[in-house]
Amino acid sequence: MSEIRHNWTKDEILRIYNKPLMDLLYEAATIHRKYHDPNTIQVSTLISVKTGGCSEDCGYCAQAARYHTHVEAEGLLTVPQVKAQALRAKSAGSSRVCMGAAWRNVKDGPEFDQVLEMVRTINKLDMEVCCTLGMITENQAQRLSEAGLYAYNHNLDTSEEYYKEVISTRGYEDRLQTIENVRKTNITVCSGGIIGMGESVEDRASMLVSLSTLYPQPESVPINALVAVEGTPLEDQKPVEIWEMIRMIATTRIVMPTTQIRLSAGRTHISREGQAMCFFAGANSIFAGDKLLTTPNPDIAEDMRMFEILGMRPQKPFETHPQPQTIEAEDSQYPSLGEKPKWSRPSHKIERNEKARIKKEKIS
């Protein structure tokens, strides 16, 4: 029976991942039942508050401005627009709202102030609030914490070794620094990755080493299956098989026993039976709604029907951590510093990313 460890090695994790499937499932399910209610699933809704036009070159992302993906850049939503979407999500059964903005990093100013007001508004609806806004400084993390942010998402995406084959416009160390900045507040950490980008099993194990050796371990780890979007450098990648998702989730459950594991992007390609196996293996959270930022996702009514069939119930908000207090802007102890941090920009080129960029230029 696994206890919480922060010294996992890649070889240990590979041995777990490669176990006979029935042995792996048994071990993961046993650990899952020790630390979690196996019949409870957290339901989150993802709202894109600022879509498209991103300057980064992430090879999987439809929102990168340099690729021809038919995603049009849109301005930041208003607070009333976000509140209306959050209320619809709550009425449909979601306990958490995650707001995503297609930014490289947070910049102090009116738009960030607007996002802070969105956080205050949703927290007052008695819903958990998560944001994924790119890289943030310690001061920006403190301002989000004051507003009532429950969780901050910043995925590692893949192993440090394979990362340079997917993204060239920002460094792996910046992702780790952002997580460290969040850890200096009372905000919980949400960080995971994507499988199916051409990485090896060793890369998957290496990513889990990076996550599991954080102290404390992330409270939430999304496991995404790549949704290959036409126009992106990874458009020709084949979908991962369900057995790969099950193994990845089970291995994550064993090395991070108390973490909430999110069965995230790619669920449209997974049957109900496959999703049930993922839940048995240790997944206890999903994103609901017909879209995850810009990619398809099952309808929430379908998910509720699946829960009914499986005898599962949606998790209520703040079951695992207390609700943050909201401090109004005028009472903030962390004013805007107008920071201009120098986040890294690696100088290497990724051949397939360059091909996709040139293709966009020719089309344009």
Side-chain angles (χ1 to χ4, degrees), residues 17-21 24 243-251:
Y17 185 98
N18 289 316
K19 280 187 175 186
L21 185 62
L24 177 62
W243 311 114
E244 296 177 80
M245 284 295 290
I246 292 170
R247 284 189 178 276
M248 190 66 184
I249 287 168
T251 304

Side-chain angles (χ1 to χ4, degrees), residues 104-122:
R104 168 180 167 82
N105 60 278
V106 170
K107 296 178 181 178
D108 290 341
E111 288 196 325
F112 184 42
D113 292 341
Q114 192 166 321
V115 170
L116 292 171
E117 196 57 38
M118 293 174 190
V119 172
R120 294 186 183 96
T121 299
I122 296 175

Side-chain angles (χ1 to χ4, degrees), residues 180-297:
E180 184 177 332
N181 291 340
V182 172
R183 274 292 178 223
K184 295 173 182 176
T185 73
N186 65 355
I187 300 171
T188 62
V189 168
C190 176
S191 185
I194 307 168
I195 67 172
M197 298 191 294
E199 77 288 343
S200 65
V201 171
E202 287 76 12
D203 287 312
R204 296 173 188 177
S206 183
M207 181 184 75
L208 291 181
V209 169
S210 295
L211 291 168
S212 65
T213 54
L214 293 172
Y215 190 86
Q217 292 177 343
E219 287 82 0
S220 172
V221 172
I223 302 296
N224 298 275
L226 176 71
V227 178
V229 177
E230 183 180 357
T232 64
L234 296 175
E235 64 180 354
D236 295 326
Q237 289 291 322
K238 295 180 180 179
V240 297
E241 293 190 11
I242 182 59
W243 311 114
E244 296 177 80
M245 284 295 290
I246 292 170
R247 284 189 178 276
M248 190 66 184
I249 287 168
T251 304
T252 305
R253 170 53 66 221
I254 292 168
V255 301
M256 288 182 270
T258 62
T259 291
Q260 284 204 289
I261 300 174
R262 302 184 180 281
L263 178 59
S264 298
R267 283 200 303 123
T268 53
H269 299 295
I270 304 176
S271 68
R272 280 180 177 170
E273 296 84 355
Q275 291 182 68
M277 290 286 282
C278 290
F279 299 145
F280 184 73
N284 57 348
S285 179
I286 63 167
F287 282 108
D290 60 358
K291 187 177 286 189
L292 287 185
L293 296 180
T294 60
T295 57
N297 196 54

